[in-house]
Amino acid sequence: MSTVTTPTESTTAALLAEKIISRRARVGVVGLGYVGLPLAVEFAKAGFDVTGIDLNQEKTDLVNRGVSYIGDIKTGDLAALVQAGKLEATTDFSVLLELDTVNIAVPTPLRKTKDPDMSYIDAACREIARYLHPGLLVILESTTYPGTTDELVLPMLSESGLKIGEDFFLCFSPERVDPGNPQYQTKNIPKVVGGVTAACTEVGALFYAQALEHVVPVSSTRVAEMVKLLENTFRMINIGLVNEIAIMCDGMGINVWEIIDAAATKPFGFMPFYPGPGLGGHCIPIDPFYLSWKTKQSGIEARFIELAGYINGQMPHFVVQKIQNALNEHAKPLKNSKVLVFGTSYKRDIDDVRESPALDVMLLLERHGAVVSYTDPHVPSIRLGNRQMKSVGEEEAAHADCVVIVTDHSSFDYAKLVERATLIVDSRNALKKFQSPKIVRL
Ligand SMILES: NC(=O)c1ccc[n+]([C@@H]2O[C@H](COP(=O)([O-])OP(=O)(O)OC[C@H]3O[C@@H](n4cnc5c(N)ncnc54)[C@H](O)[C@@H]3O)[C@@H](O)[C@H]2O)c1
């Protein structure tokens, strides 16, 4: 992009820029999960020698054997890069001594109290600080509250005595990857990057520009951190709004899906969001609370976030209530009824069950005495409370008192489902094309 320039002022920056442009820079990625592995693959594809670092030896062994454990990365692609010597993985952080760049993509969950859990960033940065050397570019990608890079990471790295913007470089670049999205992947999602100093931003933007299609430099790490929180808060609140509209429509006997489809015909000023069984995944239910936690320190309450969090959190209860009511209409109590859950991952066509509302729905159903089973082609087994459950076949729908569609995987045979089941609660409008008295929509 035209906004990406080559650093000229600091000698170290210029040397690093030259290494980046010539592909002699050795690239590191800390945390080889849904974000880190695709990033490592993209830089290896762009011609860099890439080393992934992860605490989990199972993952580093798989990478070194060229076996992918991330849906968006094909084993064939990974194996080719490993065989060509472009990508390797290790659990040993001392490799940082040989690296020129390091991206950090470790988890940022919430503690039980809904406060940010910074322990993963803290641990990864302590290791980086230990092996920090002149000419290293460090980029934090984990989603976090504004100020993390400046207030938490920079002091750790500065303990070395090396000077930021001159001896080493530090940026924040939010990760926007959307697992399972066939259209937008790491390479073609525009990459926002902000550095601690102007030289940091320049070298960070130059680095990404080698492997990714669009780079968007911004003026500071705080701006880059806040961009991600705006995006995810926007999504969380709009889903909260549409979930509340769904509850209202249910009370008034109006089909909320029809309303949204019709409203979406407005060519400006409206963007459709869809209701569902609740929020899931590692981002939308969590990230906004990083913002509300931080902003509370300045005496500002994030009221929209709290409210949307409450409404979204009610959705699994609402779905269970719908199941209970639907069974009651068939003169069956929920207690001892067989309920089969279709789909347990937090969204369509992926295998990630982190924060999935399906888990809440299943636990609530069990608490009401229902006999719960599930089917999910992407999730062969699942931990529910203290026990492990295995996915059953879709044909089990014929033996269930009620089927609930929690995740609308595209491989499900919905026509067969409508044929087999006696009662279906559809929380995703997966059965939009079907008309049957068996179907109860959200
Ligand atoms: N998954 C997504 O769709 C997505 C999208 C955008 C942003 N993010 C953000 O990206 C970050 C990473 O998310 P993810 O989904 O890739 O997580 P993940 O759990 O899939 O992967 C994180 C990896 O980091 C490793 N790890 C943990 N601590 C480590 C340490 N100290 N040193 C080295 N490795 C360590 C773990 O073993 C794991 O392999 C989070 O902040 C998340 O919010 C995720």
Side-chain angles (χ1 to χ4, degrees):
M1 263 183 69
S2 56
T3 36
V4 176
T5 52
T6 309
T8 47
E9 278 180 18
S10 142
T11 318
T12 312
L15 278 174
L16 178 56
E18 193 279 316
K19 274 187 172 181
I20 288 172
I21 292 166
S22 65
R23 302 292 190 270
R24 285 189 298 110
R26 284 151 309 172
V27 170
V29 176
V30 175
L32 295 172
Y34 288 94
V35 167
L37 188 62
L39 192 72
V41 163
E42 230 31 83
F43 276 96
K45 276 188 188 164
F48 291 91
D49 288 346
V50 180
T51 306
I53 308 170
D54 202 293
L55 296 177
N56 182 333
Q57 182 147 8
E58 245 174 76
K59 286 189 178 172
T60 57
D61 286 348
L62 283 169
V63 170
N64 288 330
R65 294 203 331 259
V67 178
S68 175
Y69 46 84
I70 297 288
D72 289 340
I73 303 293
K74 291 193 186 85
T75 281
D77 291 350
L78 185 68
L81 293 167
V82 172
Q83 272 156 27
K86 301 309 291 176
L87 180 61
E88 59 176 13
T90 179
T91 55
D92 180 2
F93 279 81
S94 69
V95 73
L96 279 158
L97 288 170
E98 296 155 28
L99 301 180
D100 298 294
T101 70
V102 60
N103 289 64
I104 306 163
V106 295
T108 42
L110 289 173
R111 297 188 186 283
K112 283 216 166 78
T113 50
K114 292 218 164 167
D115 289 349
D117 177 355
M118 304 307 286
S119 60
Y120 299 87
I121 291 187
D122 191 74
C125 290
R126 281 201 187 285
E127 290 292 338
I128 294 171
R130 204 167 145 202
Y131 298 108
L132 187 71
H133 54 82
L136 186 66
L137 166 64
V138 180
I139 308 181
L140 179 61
E141 294 219 3
S142 301
T143 307
T144 183
Y145 59 84
T148 304
T149 313
D150 277 357
E151 295 162 11
L152 185 77
V153 184
L154 181 58
M156 275 193 245
L157 302 187
S158 295
E159 273 174 24
S160 61
L162 294 179
K163 226 171 158 218
I164 181 70
E166 290 181 20
D167 302 323
F168 74 100
F169 309 92
L170 176 61
C171 297
F172 182 84
S173 176
E175 180 50 59
R176 293 162 147 177
V177 75
D178 181 20
N181 187 327
Q183 193 184 356
Y184 292 109
Q185 303 209 328
T186 304
K187 190 173 176 62
N188 64 349
I189 299 173
K191 197 83 175 101
V192 170
V193 57
V196 175
T197 70
C200 296
T201 308
E202 276 184 31
V203 81
L206 181 77
F207 172 63
Y208 283 121
Q210 309 307 308
L212 311 182
E213 286 178 12
H214 308 283
V215 180
V216 185
V218 294
S219 63
S220 67
T221 54
R222 274 186 168 73
V223 168
E225 288 158 343
M226 189 64 192
V227 166
K228 174 74 186 177
L229 295 181
L230 169 62
E231 289 167 7
N232 281 4
T233 301
F234 172 84
R235 195 161 163 72
M236 179 231 204
I237 287 172
N238 278 290
I239 293 172
L241 171 66
V242 83
N243 276 333
E244 188 173 58
I245 297 281
I247 295 171
M248 290 174 183
C249 284
D250 188 66
M252 295 184 287
I254 305 171
N255 181 332
V256 67
W257 307 96
E258 192 182 347
I259 312 275
I260 298 166
D261 283 351
T265 61
K266 185 179 179 187
F268 50 88
F270 183 82
M271 187 186 283
F273 286 84
Y274 297 96
L279 295 183
H282 189 16
C283 295
I284 307 294
I286 293 173
D287 302 349
F289 290 100
Y290 270 67
L291 179 57
S292 58
W293 175 83
K294 181 68 181 175
T295 193
K296 224 175 256 171
Q297 294 172 356
S298 330
I300 302 164
E301 275 193 45
R303 292 192 206 158
F304 273 119
I305 293 174
E306 300 295 339
L307 186 57
Y310 172 77
I311 294 167
N312 292 329
Q314 290 305 302
M315 294 313 286
H317 298 266
F318 183 64
V319 169
V320 170
Q321 188 67 54
K322 289 227 87 156
I323 297 169
Q324 197 160 26
N325 293 347
L327 282 165
N328 283 348
E329 290 210 356
H330 284 66
K332 273 197 169 264
L334 180 53
K335 195 170 171 18
N336 296 327
S337 282
K338 287 187 205 150
V339 181
L340 174 61
V341 173
F342 260 56
T344 49
S345 56
Y346 79 88
K347 69 173 183 175
R348 180 194 298 171
D349 297 346
I350 65 162
D351 62 358
D352 193 347
V353 294
R354 288 179 295 180
E355 313 287 326
S356 176
L359 303 174
D360 292 330
V361 169
M362 289 162 85
L363 282 170
L364 284 170
L365 285 168
E366 287 202 337
R367 213 175 288 160
H368 282 85
V371 182
V372 181
S373 57
Y374 84 93
T375 180
D376 192 319
H378 301 276
V379 185
S381 71
I382 205 168
R383 190 151 193 87
L384 194 67
N386 294 328
R387 69 200 169 90
Q388 205 70 24
M389 281 174 87
K390 281 198 170 135
S391 173
V392 299
E394 287 179 45
E395 66 283 356
E396 288 303 313
H399 310 295
D401 298 305
C402 180
V403 169
V404 53
I405 301 174
V406 176
T407 314
D408 51 344
H409 291 309
S410 49
S411 64
F412 283 141
D413 189 336
Y414 292 109
K416 277 258 163 60
L417 171 62
V418 175
E419 210 178 283
R420 286 173 178 143
T422 46
L423 181 63
I424 309 166
V425 172
D426 180 5
S427 73
R428 298 279 189 179
N429 206 23
L431 305 180
K432 184 179 178 177
K433 293 195 195 115
F434 299 87
Q435 291 301 329
S436 162
K438 297 176 183 178
I439 301 170
V440 176
R441 296 177 215 276
L442 189 76

